[in-house]
Amino acid sequence: MPVSERLGSDIKRAEQALNATKTAVLKPAGLTIAQYGALLYCAAKPGISAAALARLCGVTPPTMNTVLKNLQERDLIVRTPHEWHKNVLETRLTDAGRAVLADADDRAVRVERALAAEFTDEERAALTGLLARCVRVLEELRPAGP
């Protein structure tokens, strides 16, 4: 199958372009994409665990632990033991974390809005549906783990 006919190549190029652009716009806010994602989900789900953050951000638990360590060292988050599950740390934003997130989110939303503006409402709905179908098919094709 020629490369020009491989949808995976097009999907990968789009993902790489999105990540490169978001990396560039988040840099002045002092965040990586993973750090931004962690802050964004912490804001939406105060008290979230590192494991849940890793799943939502699409990174491994060890990677998320590194992300959270760096955010904690910058006083952007606090991690405290869960009230009942003492071995689970709850993650919450600090005031400084909320300020950094607000700046970063303004930057990321500009990218998302510019991307969305390239499509009509119908095209965006179709694209979202097509990408969801890609995810479904690829998840069905993925071999089960050990």
Side-chain angles (χ1 to χ4, degrees):
M1 171 183 246
V3 173
S4 62
E5 294 178 15
R6 296 179 189 217
L7 290 176
S9 296
D10 294 320
I11 293 168
K12 183 68 175 177
R13 283 185 25 240
E15 178 193 29
Q16 287 172 327
L18 178 61
N19 284 340
T21 301
K22 281 196 174 177
T23 295
V25 301
L26 291 172
K27 189 174 184 174
L31 297 177
T32 65
I33 292 173
Q35 290 170 334
Y36 166 69
L39 292 179
L40 194 62
Y41 285 115
C42 283
K45 299 172 181 281
I48 192 168
S49 70
L53 278 170
R55 284 189 296 277
L56 289 169
C57 294
V59 299
T60 64
T63 297
M64 183 51 65
N65 282 328
T66 300
V67 167
L68 293 176
K69 180 179 176 257
N70 291 333
L71 293 173
Q72 194 169 16
E73 286 173 357
R74 293 177 55 197
D75 294 320
L76 301 181
I77 62 166
V78 292
R79 301 179 76 198
T80 55
H82 186 277
E83 183 178 344
W84 304 303
H85 307 288
K86 299 300 181 195
N87 59 336
V88 173
L89 294 177
E90 296 182 323
T91 307
R92 289 186 170 72
L93 296 179
T94 62
D95 289 342
R98 279 186 280 283
V100 168
L101 175 59
D103 176 40
D105 199 41
D106 285 344
R107 295 166 183 280
V109 166
R110 281 196 295 270
V111 171
E112 294 287 347
R113 286 190 176 137
L115 182 57
E118 287 296 310
F119 302 96
T120 65
D121 290 344
E122 295 79 17
E123 288 172 330
R124 278 193 307 279
L127 180 59
T128 300
L130 293 168
L131 290 171
R133 192 182 323 165
C134 289
V135 169
R136 180 185 51 77
V137 168
L138 293 169
E139 287 177 348
E140 289 172 0
L141 289 172
R142 184 182 319 136

